[in-house]
Amino acid sequence: AENEPPWGTPCTQLLVFVATPGCDGFPSLDSKENYKLSVSEGSLLLSADAIWGALRGLETFSQLVGRDENGTYYINKTEIVDFPRFPHRGLLLDTSRHYLPLRAILETLDVMAYNKFNVFHWHIVDDPSFPYESFTFPELSKQGAFNPMTHVYTASDVQTVIEYARLRGIRVIAEFDTPGHTLSWGPGAPGLLTPCYLGKEPSGTYGPINPILNSTYKFVTDLFQEVSTVFPDFFLHLGGDEVDFTCWKSNPKIRAFMKEMGFGEDYKKLESFYIQRLLDIISSLGKGYIVWQEVFDNKVEVRPDTIVHVWKENPTPYMEEMANVTKAGYRALLSAPWYLNRISYGQDWMAAYKVEPLKFKGSPEQKDRVIGGEACMWGEYVDVTNLTPRLW
Amino acid sequence: RRTVGRAMGLAGLLLFLVPAVLVSAGFCHGAPPTERAPEPAEGEPVSGSFREDSLWPLPQWLRTSPRQLQLAPGRFQLVHGAGSSAGPDCGLLQDAFRRYYEYMFGQSPRWTRGRGPPGGRGEPELSQLQVVIEAPDPGCHSYPHLASSEAYHLTVTEPVAILKADEVWGALRGLETFSQLVHEDDYGSFLVNESEIDDFPRFAHRGILLDTSRHYLPLKSILTNLDAMAFNKFNVFHWHIVDDQSFPYQSIYFPELSDKGAYSYNHVYTPTDVSLVIEYARLRGIRVIPEFDTPGHTQSWGKGQRDLLTPCYSGERPTGSFGPVNPILNTTYDFMTKFYKEISSVFPDAYIHLGGDEVNFDCWKSNPEVREFMRKQGFGIDYAKLESYYIQKILDIVSSYNKGYVVWQEVFDNKAQLKPDTVVQVWMGNNYAHELSSVTGAGFTAILAAPWYLDYISYGQDWKKYYSVEPLNFPGSEKQKKLLIGGEACLWGEFVDATNLTPRLWPRASAVGERLWSSRNVTNLQDAYERLTNHRCRML
């Protein structure tokens, strides 16, 4: 054959050397994923500061191993020094628009590991369904799941996902999106959502979470207390996107509250009022938070270590939004150009590839605040029958 | 609503590795059952009154009543009725009976025979569906063709339901419809509403094109697709089997074609594979029309057949690359004569698709011998004439084997001399209505593909745009319109292989299926949406 390599010593061992212990911990935003790989005659060495780097190096090593036409495995003499450019490299799956069976999630985690993704953003509940089985509020999934017997994630399922991810160096960041995107919460939590009005009478439909009741905040505290213990990552994604004000505006008690609080007609202030209290609750639970960009755009007061998730392409172009977010001192995550659910004909991977996350006018400090991005696979048209070929 | 996905039926037929993520029943959650529509008056045709019975495609004439009959899987039988010209030796129907029984009730070993008297509900029991074929020759052992009758009449009433059809092809269509009528209630009882259906297809040619050259498709993919086609009453599998990129068809006379032209020895269709596809299709009333596209789209042919393709020139020197089939050599036509002899005997359908699209003239123009030939023939510099010269000879070769042919529209556009029964396939998107007028105006039969290139994916519910096409919306006389015999949904393979074929093609192609079967005035998108969502879950 043309490319017959000169055969050296058969390689028998890949030695993996990890500097810092920590096999039993969870990966975090600060985890070190750097590694060195050295392949030469008689010596295969993978060294990393932390186990997470070892995982990344193993993946690379496995990609270097080739097989010739005789079936013989070989590897070229190689030196690799590697580390990620961005520490947050995520994938969003939406298990509310369509339920995804556990094995679909686990298979996705495998493929994420092949591609060195390290964050699984689990958009677990939303308007259409509530598959998360809560032990504090079991009625949420009993009433809110597509089928409470079959289309739920039990506590054991959730732990399986978290551990499967951990073994691949992948963080699991759960998103319980509020106050909008919560219709499925209503049936299992009466009184949580705002009743919409038609004139003087309730119309029978519901809107976002009701921000004016104390019971709301009690509920939110208890739910997130549970969520904080179930999901070990420091960060929770709190959502906060696309809050439709129509229902709030229709409700007389809310209008009265607006007046009382001096918010005038600016419902963004009411939204901020809710989010503020939510963020304080989360903080008191010892968690950090990620929020969709509206929370920043609507000028909610957020902690300095908040991460703002940029997803919109208009009215503000996303690069401009990245500049604004980082200029205000917050860390940013980019998803806007990476909504992979928006399929199109041909090799559209190129458009995703060409995105340069730091292509905005800003200081080096600003650019440092871009911690990475996420590819999003929203589930309106996606279920287990087409998830894998659509995403990869 | 089914409890067992139909796709599982194939597992019993072939032993193959199911991919890592199993698709099994139960993931199709569906909305809670909706309220029943008010009772229709007797005798009035209604469409899709009862959401439990989501029929797709919608039959031409349908009358259902709220009165329900119960089916006991342990006792219910699909049988040949008295007076039917088909009997137990009709393998096609025997196979269909088993297949549809499994679709309706699942393959569960639960259903042992006669488990006692009917319990639970008080409804009368439907014990049988009797199938009566009326034509003296039912067609059990023959192949479907363009003029086959697919009409059927279904009466569902106690104690037995009767399915009447001229030929077995209508019975297959009727069995599919019957299976769509049977549904389960909340308690797991199998029910069917008393109904009467009179049905036949609006268009006789309702096809799906698969491309096995750009990406090889394993046999399993093709067979699964034939199943899906049957669920949607498609009746033509247009097998675009070879093209530039690869030649997977293992030829008996010219084994080098696939030896050298296929992606690998694993990426071929052996004669056995081909026979299997043809028979699997036949059992579902599906014609297999192979396409061996020439003179363009033939790069892979040149690997195993030296001197078939035109050598391209740069000035006086051959560049080493090749263009379309070389139309000036006798050896070309010797080859084609022998090759099409094989194709004509391997593929039983009356038609072969000869391609003839997108012929790039640059290479011909560059070749001095070709230019010389053009001069001798008096073609001037009109290479369309050379193309037609070639096509003419191929058409004559194929005719001599008593086959009809389908060609892409360029063959017509470039004014080749076509036999009157040529079928012209209109695929170019730009003003296809005008093309349909021209083709049918010239007296040729046409099939429409242009608005149904399903490989052009886009975000959201794009099935609606395929559904909304009205094929007869072109200027022309009644006589002309009759010449449009149907259409095809095409799934070109540039970006498609076994990993994504099924979710990309279905249920989007279902929209085309209803457009080609159902009546012209079945256009309500909301109603279609409700039926299609249920149909899709059923297909899984």
Short mmCIF file of all heavy atoms in Angstrom, two decimals, chain A residues 97-99 101 103-104 107 146-147 150-151 341-347 380-381 383-386 388-390, chain B residues 19-24 26-30 455-461 492 494-495 499-500 502-504 536 540:
data_model
loop_
_atom_site.label_atom_id
_atom_site.label_comp_id
_atom_site.label_asym_id
_atom_site.label_seq_id
_atom_site.Cartn_x
_atom_site.Cartn_y
_atom_site.Cartn_z
N ARG A 97 -41.70 20.20 25.13
CA ARG A 97 -42.49 20.22 23.88
C ARG A 97 -42.72 18.79 23.41
O ARG A 97 -43.80 18.46 22.94
CB ARG A 97 -41.79 21.05 22.82
CG ARG A 97 -42.09 22.55 22.93
CD ARG A 97 -41.71 23.15 24.27
NE ARG A 97 -42.03 24.56 24.37
CZ ARG A 97 -41.16 25.53 24.17
NH1 ARG A 97 -39.91 25.22 23.89
NH2 ARG A 97 -41.54 26.79 24.28
N HIS A 98 -41.71 17.96 23.54
CA HIS A 98 -41.87 16.52 23.34
C HIS A 98 -41.05 15.83 24.41
O HIS A 98 -39.89 16.20 24.65
CB HIS A 98 -41.38 16.07 21.97
CG HIS A 98 -42.32 16.37 20.85
ND1 HIS A 98 -42.25 17.53 20.13
CD2 HIS A 98 -43.36 15.67 20.34
CE1 HIS A 98 -43.21 17.54 19.22
NE2 HIS A 98 -43.90 16.42 19.33
N TYR A 99 -41.64 14.84 25.04
CA TYR A 99 -40.90 14.04 26.01
C TYR A 99 -39.78 13.30 25.29
O TYR A 99 -39.97 12.80 24.18
CB TYR A 99 -41.86 13.04 26.66
CG TYR A 99 -41.21 12.14 27.67
CD1 TYR A 99 -40.93 12.60 28.96
CD2 TYR A 99 -40.87 10.83 27.35
CE1 TYR A 99 -40.32 11.77 29.89
CE2 TYR A 99 -40.27 10.00 28.28
CZ TYR A 99 -39.99 10.47 29.55
OH TYR A 99 -39.40 9.66 30.47
N PRO A 101 -37.32 10.08 25.88
CA PRO A 101 -37.04 8.97 26.78
C PRO A 101 -35.60 9.04 27.28
O PRO A 101 -34.73 9.61 26.62
CB PRO A 101 -37.27 7.73 25.93
CG PRO A 101 -37.27 8.18 24.53
CD PRO A 101 -37.63 9.62 24.51
N ARG A 103 -33.14 7.07 27.36
CA ARG A 103 -32.01 6.65 26.52
C ARG A 103 -31.67 7.67 25.44
O ARG A 103 -30.53 7.74 25.01
CB ARG A 103 -32.26 5.28 25.92
CG ARG A 103 -33.58 5.13 25.28
CD ARG A 103 -33.79 3.68 24.87
NE ARG A 103 -35.12 3.54 24.33
CZ ARG A 103 -36.12 3.00 25.00
NH1 ARG A 103 -35.94 2.52 26.20
NH2 ARG A 103 -37.30 2.93 24.46
N ALA A 104 -32.64 8.51 25.05
CA ALA A 104 -32.32 9.56 24.08
C ALA A 104 -31.40 10.59 24.72
O ALA A 104 -30.47 11.11 24.10
CB ALA A 104 -33.60 10.24 23.57
N GLU A 107 -27.93 8.95 25.17
CA GLU A 107 -27.23 8.87 23.89
C GLU A 107 -26.67 10.24 23.51
O GLU A 107 -25.55 10.37 23.03
CB GLU A 107 -28.17 8.37 22.79
CG GLU A 107 -27.48 8.15 21.48
CD GLU A 107 -28.43 7.67 20.39
OE1 GLU A 107 -29.23 8.48 19.89
OE2 GLU A 107 -28.37 6.48 20.04
N PHE A 146 -47.46 14.80 29.96
CA PHE A 146 -48.28 14.28 28.87
C PHE A 146 -48.95 12.99 29.32
O PHE A 146 -50.10 12.74 29.02
CB PHE A 146 -47.43 14.01 27.63
CG PHE A 146 -47.06 15.24 26.84
CD1 PHE A 146 -45.76 15.44 26.42
CD2 PHE A 146 -48.01 16.19 26.51
CE1 PHE A 146 -45.41 16.57 25.69
CE2 PHE A 146 -47.67 17.33 25.78
CZ PHE A 146 -46.37 17.51 25.37
N ASN A 147 -48.21 12.16 30.03
CA ASN A 147 -48.76 10.95 30.63
C ASN A 147 -47.96 10.70 31.89
O ASN A 147 -46.78 10.42 31.84
CB ASN A 147 -48.64 9.77 29.66
CG ASN A 147 -49.19 8.49 30.26
OD1 ASN A 147 -49.06 8.22 31.45
ND2 ASN A 147 -49.82 7.67 29.43
N THR A 150 -45.93 7.40 32.07
CA THR A 150 -44.88 7.06 31.11
C THR A 150 -43.99 8.23 30.70
O THR A 150 -42.86 8.03 30.30
CB THR A 150 -45.51 6.50 29.83
OG1 THR A 150 -46.44 7.46 29.32
CG2 THR A 150 -46.26 5.21 30.11
N HIS A 151 -44.53 9.44 30.76
CA HIS A 151 -43.78 10.57 30.22
C HIS A 151 -43.30 11.47 31.34
O HIS A 151 -43.59 12.67 31.39
CB HIS A 151 -44.64 11.36 29.23
CG HIS A 151 -44.90 10.60 27.95
ND1 HIS A 151 -45.47 9.36 27.93
CD2 HIS A 151 -44.63 10.92 26.67
CE1 HIS A 151 -45.57 8.95 26.68
NE2 HIS A 151 -45.06 9.87 25.88
N ASN A 341 -32.57 23.85 15.97
CA ASN A 341 -33.90 23.37 15.63
C ASN A 341 -34.39 24.04 14.34
O ASN A 341 -35.27 23.52 13.67
CB ASN A 341 -34.89 23.64 16.76
CG ASN A 341 -34.91 25.10 17.17
OD1 ASN A 341 -33.85 25.68 17.43
ND2 ASN A 341 -36.07 25.71 17.24
N ARG A 342 -33.79 25.17 14.00
CA ARG A 342 -34.19 25.87 12.78
C ARG A 342 -33.46 25.28 11.58
O ARG A 342 -32.47 25.80 11.12
CB ARG A 342 -33.90 27.37 12.88
CG ARG A 342 -34.62 27.99 14.05
CD ARG A 342 -34.77 29.50 13.89
NE ARG A 342 -36.06 29.93 14.37
CZ ARG A 342 -37.11 30.18 13.60
NH1 ARG A 342 -37.02 30.05 12.30
NH2 ARG A 342 -38.25 30.55 14.13
N ILE A 343 -34.02 24.16 11.11
CA ILE A 343 -33.34 23.41 10.06
C ILE A 343 -33.44 24.12 8.72
O ILE A 343 -34.37 24.88 8.48
CB ILE A 343 -33.92 22.00 9.91
CG1 ILE A 343 -35.42 22.07 9.62
CG2 ILE A 343 -33.66 21.19 11.17
CD1 ILE A 343 -36.03 20.73 9.27
N SER A 344 -32.50 23.82 7.84
CA SER A 344 -32.54 24.35 6.49
C SER A 344 -31.78 23.39 5.60
O SER A 344 -31.02 22.54 6.07
CB SER A 344 -31.92 25.74 6.43
OG SER A 344 -30.60 25.71 6.92
N TYR A 345 -32.01 23.53 4.29
CA TYR A 345 -31.44 22.58 3.34
C TYR A 345 -29.95 22.78 3.15
O TYR A 345 -29.48 23.91 3.05
CB TYR A 345 -32.16 22.73 1.99
CG TYR A 345 -31.62 21.82 0.93
CD1 TYR A 345 -31.81 20.44 1.00
CD2 TYR A 345 -30.90 22.33 -0.15
CE1 TYR A 345 -31.30 19.60 0.03
CE2 TYR A 345 -30.41 21.50 -1.14
CZ TYR A 345 -30.61 20.13 -1.04
OH TYR A 345 -30.12 19.30 -2.00
N GLY A 346 -29.23 21.68 3.05
CA GLY A 346 -27.82 21.76 2.68
C GLY A 346 -26.87 21.79 3.86
O GLY A 346 -27.23 21.38 4.96
N GLN A 347 -25.67 22.24 3.65
CA GLN A 347 -24.63 22.16 4.66
C GLN A 347 -24.67 23.36 5.60
O GLN A 347 -23.74 24.17 5.65
CB GLN A 347 -23.26 22.03 4.00
CG GLN A 347 -23.13 20.72 3.23
CD GLN A 347 -21.69 20.38 2.97
OE1 GLN A 347 -20.88 20.38 3.87
NE2 GLN A 347 -21.37 20.09 1.72
N GLU A 380 -40.19 21.76 19.53
CA GLU A 380 -41.52 21.85 18.89
C GLU A 380 -41.70 20.80 17.82
O GLU A 380 -42.78 20.28 17.61
CB GLU A 380 -41.74 23.24 18.26
CG GLU A 380 -42.03 24.37 19.25
CD GLU A 380 -40.78 24.99 19.83
OE1 GLU A 380 -39.68 24.44 19.64
OE2 GLU A 380 -40.90 26.04 20.50
N TYR A 381 -40.64 20.50 17.09
CA TYR A 381 -40.74 19.54 15.99
C TYR A 381 -39.77 18.40 16.16
O TYR A 381 -39.38 17.74 15.20
CB TYR A 381 -40.48 20.26 14.65
CG TYR A 381 -41.43 21.40 14.42
CD1 TYR A 381 -41.01 22.72 14.58
CD2 TYR A 381 -42.76 21.17 14.08
CE1 TYR A 381 -41.89 23.78 14.40
CE2 TYR A 381 -43.64 22.21 13.90
CZ TYR A 381 -43.21 23.52 14.06
OH TYR A 381 -44.09 24.55 13.88
N ASP A 383 -38.67 14.88 18.39
CA ASP A 383 -38.81 13.87 19.43
C ASP A 383 -37.78 12.79 19.17
O ASP A 383 -36.87 12.99 18.35
CB ASP A 383 -40.26 13.35 19.50
CG ASP A 383 -40.66 12.55 18.28
OD1 ASP A 383 -39.79 12.20 17.46
OD2 ASP A 383 -41.86 12.25 18.15
N VAL A 384 -37.94 11.66 19.84
CA VAL A 384 -36.89 10.64 19.75
C VAL A 384 -36.73 10.11 18.33
O VAL A 384 -35.67 9.60 17.98
CB VAL A 384 -37.17 9.50 20.76
CG1 VAL A 384 -38.38 8.69 20.34
CG2 VAL A 384 -35.96 8.63 20.94
N THR A 385 -37.77 10.27 17.48
CA THR A 385 -37.64 9.72 16.13
C THR A 385 -36.72 10.54 15.24
O THR A 385 -36.29 10.06 14.20
CB THR A 385 -39.01 9.64 15.42
OG1 THR A 385 -39.51 10.96 15.22
CG2 THR A 385 -40.02 8.83 16.21
N ASN A 386 -36.44 11.77 15.62
CA ASN A 386 -35.58 12.58 14.75
C ASN A 386 -34.53 13.41 15.47
O ASN A 386 -33.79 14.17 14.83
CB ASN A 386 -36.44 13.48 13.84
CG ASN A 386 -37.25 14.51 14.62
OD1 ASN A 386 -37.24 14.53 15.85
ND2 ASN A 386 -37.94 15.38 13.91
N THR A 388 -31.56 12.67 17.00
CA THR A 388 -30.14 12.45 16.71
C THR A 388 -29.71 12.95 15.34
O THR A 388 -28.72 13.69 15.24
CB THR A 388 -29.77 10.97 16.94
OG1 THR A 388 -30.04 10.64 18.29
CG2 THR A 388 -28.30 10.72 16.65
N PRO A 389 -30.43 12.58 14.24
CA PRO A 389 -29.96 13.11 12.95
C PRO A 389 -30.15 14.61 12.82
O PRO A 389 -29.45 15.25 12.03
CB PRO A 389 -30.82 12.36 11.92
CG PRO A 389 -31.95 11.79 12.65
CD PRO A 389 -31.53 11.61 14.06
N ARG A 390 -31.07 15.22 13.60
CA ARG A 390 -31.26 16.66 13.48
C ARG A 390 -30.15 17.42 14.20
O ARG A 390 -29.74 18.49 13.82
CB ARG A 390 -32.64 17.06 14.03
CG ARG A 390 -33.01 18.50 13.70
CD ARG A 390 -34.49 18.74 13.84
NE ARG A 390 -35.22 18.09 12.77
CZ ARG A 390 -36.43 18.43 12.33
NH1 ARG A 390 -37.06 19.43 12.89
NH2 ARG A 390 -37.02 17.76 11.37
N PRO B 19 -31.32 -0.02 15.72
CA PRO B 19 -30.39 1.02 16.19
C PRO B 19 -30.53 1.32 17.67
O PRO B 19 -31.53 0.99 18.29
CB PRO B 19 -30.75 2.25 15.35
CG PRO B 19 -31.99 1.90 14.65
CD PRO B 19 -32.17 0.43 14.66
N ALA B 20 -29.51 1.94 18.23
CA ALA B 20 -29.38 2.12 19.67
C ALA B 20 -30.63 2.65 20.34
O ALA B 20 -30.99 2.23 21.41
CB ALA B 20 -28.20 3.04 19.97
N VAL B 21 -31.28 3.59 19.71
CA VAL B 21 -32.48 4.13 20.33
C VAL B 21 -33.71 3.48 19.71
O VAL B 21 -34.07 3.75 18.60
CB VAL B 21 -32.56 5.66 20.14
CG1 VAL B 21 -33.81 6.21 20.79
CG2 VAL B 21 -31.33 6.31 20.74
N LEU B 22 -34.31 2.57 20.43
CA LEU B 22 -35.49 1.85 19.94
C LEU B 22 -36.67 2.78 19.84
O LEU B 22 -36.96 3.53 20.76
CB LEU B 22 -35.86 0.76 20.93
CG LEU B 22 -35.32 -0.64 20.66
CD1 LEU B 22 -35.60 -1.52 21.86
CD2 LEU B 22 -35.99 -1.23 19.44
N VAL B 23 -37.37 2.68 18.73
CA VAL B 23 -38.64 3.41 18.68
C VAL B 23 -39.74 2.41 19.00
O VAL B 23 -39.98 1.49 18.25
CB VAL B 23 -38.89 3.98 17.28
CG1 VAL B 23 -40.23 4.68 17.21
CG2 VAL B 23 -37.78 4.94 16.91
N SER B 24 -40.32 2.55 20.12
CA SER B 24 -41.40 1.61 20.42
C SER B 24 -42.66 2.41 20.69
O SER B 24 -42.64 3.63 20.72
CB SER B 24 -41.04 0.76 21.63
OG SER B 24 -40.96 1.57 22.76
N GLY B 26 -45.98 3.96 22.50
CA GLY B 26 -46.16 4.63 23.79
C GLY B 26 -45.51 5.98 23.86
O GLY B 26 -45.75 6.73 24.77
N PHE B 27 -44.63 6.33 22.92
CA PHE B 27 -44.05 7.67 22.98
C PHE B 27 -44.89 8.64 22.21
O PHE B 27 -44.59 9.80 22.11
CB PHE B 27 -42.61 7.66 22.44
CG PHE B 27 -41.72 6.86 23.32
CD1 PHE B 27 -40.88 5.91 22.78
CD2 PHE B 27 -41.75 7.03 24.68
CE1 PHE B 27 -40.07 5.15 23.62
CE2 PHE B 27 -40.94 6.28 25.52
CZ PHE B 27 -40.10 5.33 24.97
N CYS B 28 -45.95 8.14 21.61
CA CYS B 28 -46.81 9.05 20.90
C CYS B 28 -47.92 9.39 21.85
O CYS B 28 -48.92 8.69 21.93
CB CYS B 28 -47.34 8.37 19.65
SG CYS B 28 -47.17 9.42 18.26
N HIS B 29 -47.73 10.43 22.64
CA HIS B 29 -48.66 10.70 23.72
C HIS B 29 -50.03 11.08 23.22
O HIS B 29 -51.03 10.60 23.68
CB HIS B 29 -48.12 11.80 24.62
CG HIS B 29 -47.71 13.01 23.85
ND1 HIS B 29 -46.44 13.17 23.34
CD2 HIS B 29 -48.40 14.10 23.47
CE1 HIS B 29 -46.38 14.33 22.70
NE2 HIS B 29 -47.55 14.91 22.76
N GLY B 30 -50.08 11.95 22.27
CA GLY B 30 -51.37 12.39 21.73
C GLY B 30 -52.17 13.17 22.73
O GLY B 30 -51.96 13.09 23.94
N ASP B 455 -36.53 16.70 -0.22
CA ASP B 455 -35.18 16.83 0.32
C ASP B 455 -34.90 18.29 0.69
O ASP B 455 -34.01 18.56 1.49
CB ASP B 455 -34.14 16.33 -0.68
CG ASP B 455 -34.27 16.98 -2.04
OD1 ASP B 455 -35.41 17.08 -2.55
OD2 ASP B 455 -33.26 17.38 -2.62
N TYR B 456 -35.69 19.21 0.15
CA TYR B 456 -35.52 20.63 0.50
C TYR B 456 -36.21 20.91 1.83
O TYR B 456 -37.32 21.40 1.88
CB TYR B 456 -36.12 21.53 -0.59
CG TYR B 456 -35.30 21.58 -1.85
CD1 TYR B 456 -35.92 21.64 -3.09
CD2 TYR B 456 -33.91 21.58 -1.81
CE1 TYR B 456 -35.17 21.69 -4.26
CE2 TYR B 456 -33.16 21.63 -2.97
CZ TYR B 456 -33.80 21.68 -4.19
OH TYR B 456 -33.07 21.72 -5.35
N ILE B 457 -35.53 20.57 2.91
CA ILE B 457 -36.15 20.73 4.22
C ILE B 457 -36.19 22.19 4.63
O ILE B 457 -35.39 23.00 4.18
CB ILE B 457 -35.39 19.94 5.30
CG1 ILE B 457 -33.92 20.38 5.37
CG2 ILE B 457 -35.48 18.45 5.02
CD1 ILE B 457 -33.17 19.80 6.55
N SER B 458 -37.16 22.50 5.49
CA SER B 458 -37.23 23.85 6.05
C SER B 458 -37.90 23.76 7.40
O SER B 458 -38.57 22.77 7.70
CB SER B 458 -38.01 24.78 5.11
OG SER B 458 -39.28 24.24 4.85
N TYR B 459 -37.74 24.80 8.21
CA TYR B 459 -38.23 24.77 9.58
C TYR B 459 -39.75 24.86 9.65
O TYR B 459 -40.36 25.65 8.95
CB TYR B 459 -37.60 25.92 10.36
CG TYR B 459 -38.04 26.00 11.80
CD1 TYR B 459 -37.68 25.01 12.71
CD2 TYR B 459 -38.84 27.05 12.25
CE1 TYR B 459 -38.10 25.06 14.03
CE2 TYR B 459 -39.24 27.12 13.57
CZ TYR B 459 -38.87 26.12 14.46
OH TYR B 459 -39.28 26.18 15.76
N GLY B 460 -40.34 24.07 10.53
CA GLY B 460 -41.77 24.20 10.81
C GLY B 460 -42.64 23.25 10.00
O GLY B 460 -42.18 22.23 9.50
N GLN B 461 -43.90 23.56 9.90
CA GLN B 461 -44.88 22.65 9.30
C GLN B 461 -44.94 22.79 7.79
O GLN B 461 -45.96 23.21 7.22
CB GLN B 461 -46.26 22.90 9.92
CG GLN B 461 -46.29 22.54 11.40
CD GLN B 461 -47.69 22.34 11.89
OE1 GLN B 461 -48.49 21.66 11.28
NE2 GLN B 461 -48.01 22.95 13.03
N TRP B 492 -34.20 13.25 -2.73
CA TRP B 492 -32.85 13.12 -3.27
C TRP B 492 -31.87 12.89 -2.12
O TRP B 492 -32.08 13.37 -1.01
CB TRP B 492 -32.50 14.37 -4.08
CG TRP B 492 -33.37 14.46 -5.28
CD1 TRP B 492 -34.45 15.27 -5.47
CD2 TRP B 492 -33.29 13.63 -6.46
NE1 TRP B 492 -35.03 15.00 -6.68
CE2 TRP B 492 -34.36 14.01 -7.32
CE3 TRP B 492 -32.42 12.62 -6.87
CZ2 TRP B 492 -34.57 13.41 -8.56
CZ3 TRP B 492 -32.63 12.03 -8.11
CH2 TRP B 492 -33.69 12.42 -8.94
N GLU B 494 -28.52 13.65 -1.48
CA GLU B 494 -27.27 14.35 -1.16
C GLU B 494 -27.03 14.44 0.35
O GLU B 494 -25.90 14.38 0.81
CB GLU B 494 -27.27 15.78 -1.74
CG GLU B 494 -27.02 15.87 -3.24
CD GLU B 494 -28.29 15.69 -4.06
OE1 GLU B 494 -29.32 15.28 -3.48
OE2 GLU B 494 -28.25 15.96 -5.27
N PHE B 495 -28.11 14.63 1.10
CA PHE B 495 -27.96 14.82 2.53
C PHE B 495 -28.77 13.79 3.31
O PHE B 495 -29.14 14.01 4.47
CB PHE B 495 -28.39 16.25 2.92
CG PHE B 495 -27.59 17.30 2.21
CD1 PHE B 495 -28.13 18.00 1.14
CD2 PHE B 495 -26.27 17.56 2.57
CE1 PHE B 495 -27.38 18.96 0.45
CE2 PHE B 495 -25.52 18.51 1.90
CZ PHE B 495 -26.08 19.20 0.82
N THR B 499 -29.61 7.02 8.40
CA THR B 499 -29.74 7.62 9.73
C THR B 499 -30.82 8.68 9.80
O THR B 499 -31.24 9.05 10.89
CB THR B 499 -28.43 8.28 10.20
OG1 THR B 499 -28.14 9.41 9.37
CG2 THR B 499 -27.27 7.31 10.16
N ASN B 500 -31.24 9.19 8.68
CA ASN B 500 -32.23 10.27 8.75
C ASN B 500 -33.35 10.18 7.71
O ASN B 500 -34.20 11.06 7.65
CB ASN B 500 -31.56 11.65 8.64
CG ASN B 500 -30.87 11.87 7.30
OD1 ASN B 500 -30.83 10.99 6.45
ND2 ASN B 500 -30.34 13.07 7.10
N THR B 502 -36.09 8.15 7.32
CA THR B 502 -37.49 8.02 7.74
C THR B 502 -38.06 9.31 8.34
O THR B 502 -39.12 9.75 7.91
CB THR B 502 -37.64 6.83 8.70
OG1 THR B 502 -37.23 5.65 8.00
CG2 THR B 502 -39.08 6.65 9.14
N PRO B 503 -37.35 9.95 9.32
CA PRO B 503 -37.96 11.17 9.85
C PRO B 503 -37.99 12.33 8.85
O PRO B 503 -38.80 13.23 8.97
CB PRO B 503 -37.09 11.54 11.06
CG PRO B 503 -35.84 10.77 10.93
CD PRO B 503 -36.16 9.57 10.10
N ARG B 504 -37.08 12.29 7.83
CA ARG B 504 -37.10 13.38 6.88
C ARG B 504 -38.26 13.22 5.89
O ARG B 504 -38.88 14.18 5.46
CB ARG B 504 -35.77 13.45 6.12
CG ARG B 504 -35.63 14.71 5.26
CD ARG B 504 -34.20 15.00 4.90
NE ARG B 504 -33.44 15.45 6.06
CZ ARG B 504 -32.29 16.14 6.00
NH1 ARG B 504 -31.79 16.44 4.83
NH2 ARG B 504 -31.66 16.49 7.09
N ARG B 536 -49.76 9.90 11.94
CA ARG B 536 -48.32 9.81 12.14
C ARG B 536 -48.00 8.93 13.34
O ARG B 536 -47.10 8.09 13.29
CB ARG B 536 -47.75 11.22 12.34
CG ARG B 536 -46.26 11.26 12.51
CD ARG B 536 -45.86 11.58 13.91
NE ARG B 536 -44.42 11.53 14.07
CZ ARG B 536 -43.78 11.70 15.23
NH1 ARG B 536 -44.47 11.98 16.30
NH2 ARG B 536 -42.47 11.61 15.27
N LEU B 540 -45.90 5.12 13.47
CA LEU B 540 -44.73 4.76 14.27
C LEU B 540 -44.84 3.33 14.79
O LEU B 540 -43.85 2.70 15.09
CB LEU B 540 -44.60 5.71 15.47
CG LEU B 540 -44.16 7.14 15.14
CD1 LEU B 540 -44.12 7.95 16.42
CD2 LEU B 540 -42.79 7.15 14.49
#
